[in-house]
Amino acid sequence: MRVVIAEDAVLLRAGVTRLLADEGIETAAAVDNGDDLLGAVKEHRPDLAIVDVRMPPTFTDEGLRAALAARKEVPGLPVLVLSQYVEESYAVELLSGGAGGVGYLLKERVADVDEFLDAVRRVANGGTAIDPDVIAQLMARGRRNPLDALTARESEVLGLMAQGLSNTAIANSLVVSHGAVEKHIGNIFSKLGLEASAEEHRRVRAVLTYLGR
């Protein structure tokens, strides 16, 4: 796997690079601003871009805007965003801009090495990895009516799906059988009006509905 890192903090950039190298993951480029991120993405066509939200010159949302531009430049580019805060408008745009291959983690999660590496691999493979705190804040904007039809357990399952957990991981988390999880997910698809299509595509659409899009 080859990644491009965009992070203005030198120590964090170096730390993530070293952490990935220890796992056999190559860093094709490590930059400190959005413009260089776009250049690196176009040059290296990486398997994943790891992007800080706030970078020079204004340290507001340059990273997220660069990530959105990178996904337009290289359609389907997996992007894992790291942030100290939840930037709602751009976060929703990023998460709803493609059929997977996106992640949004708060930087404190990087301290949990196993969780961070799991997110890196999951997003690079086209999945999602969304921080529970990000989900909570986006959900605070209010649910839409289709979600009101879900039972408490179905909502719980969908919340874990939004974090990017597999059916097996959901079953382990809730201490239920794999079959029970599949049944809940089938009910979720039905209640949200998601007609039969590629399973992964329906999962993404269900998650986007959950996030209020």
Side-chain angles (χ1 to χ4, degrees), residues 125-140:
N125 289 327
T128 58
I130 306 174
D131 194 293
D133 290 341
V134 173
I135 293 173
Q137 187 160 329
L138 294 178
M139 284 298 296

Side-chain angles (χ1 to χ4, degrees), residues 50-187:
I50 300 175
V51 185
D52 183 16
V53 168
R54 299 186 175 190
M55 291 192 292
T58 67
F59 294 95
T60 54
D61 56 14
E62 284 85 357
L64 264 179
R65 288 191 282 109
L68 290 168
R71 280 176 72 88
K72 290 180 181 178
E73 183 70 34
V74 181
L77 170 72
V79 172
L80 176 60
V81 171
L82 302 179
S83 178
Q84 289 181 305
Y85 312 97
V86 181
E87 305 287 348
E88 289 190 22
S89 60
Y90 286 110
V92 170
E93 185 175 353
L94 176 66
L95 295 172
S96 62
V102 292
Y104 198 125
L105 297 182
L106 297 184
K107 285 188 175 180
E108 62 191 49
R109 303 291 175 188
V110 180
D112 187 325
V113 174
D114 290 338
E115 186 173 346
F116 173 67
L117 291 174
D118 177 66
V120 166
R121 296 189 181 94
R122 192 187 308 159
V123 174
N125 289 327
T128 58
I130 306 174
D131 194 293
D133 290 341
V134 173
I135 293 173
Q137 187 160 329
L138 294 178
M139 284 298 296
R141 300 186 312 163
R143 291 184 171 184
R144 294 191 173 187
N145 289 334
L147 295 171
D148 294 338
L150 302 183
T151 65
R153 177 62 89 183
E154 289 163 357
S155 294
E156 193 173 10
V157 169
L158 184 51
L160 294 174
M161 288 168 60
Q163 293 179 39
L165 272 64
S166 66
N167 288 9
T168 299
I170 292 173
N172 292 337
S173 177
L174 299 179
V175 194
V176 298
S177 69
H178 192 277
V181 171
E182 290 184 337
K183 181 178 179 180
H184 288 313
I185 292 176
N187 290 339

